[in-house]
Amino acid sequence: MKVLPTLLLILAGVLVGGTWSLHKQGAARPAVVVTGLLAVLATVGGVLWLLPGEA
């Protein structure tokens, strides 16, 4: 199913935007860091899912 990694990458983009928005609004550092980490995890998950592996 190629739709799941695409959804993960879309989620990563939304999270990156949310991280940037939180940063610009002066949100608390933990909120910005957690949102950024979730964006990184979603990106890594989407990319790793697309890599060829054992079938």
Side-chain angles (χ1 to χ4, degrees):
M1 292 182 77
K2 296 287 185 185
V3 75
L4 293 176
T6 302
L7 291 176
L8 272 176
L9 292 172
I10 291 170
L11 174 63
V14 169
L15 286 169
V16 166
T19 302
W20 184 254
S21 177
L22 286 171
H23 174 69
K24 286 300 213 181
Q25 292 177 25
R29 184 175 298 270
V32 176
V33 169
V34 167
T35 309
L37 287 175
L38 289 174
V40 169
L41 286 174
T43 303
V44 169
V47 169
L48 288 178
W49 199 316
L50 289 173
L51 293 177
E54 296 180 27

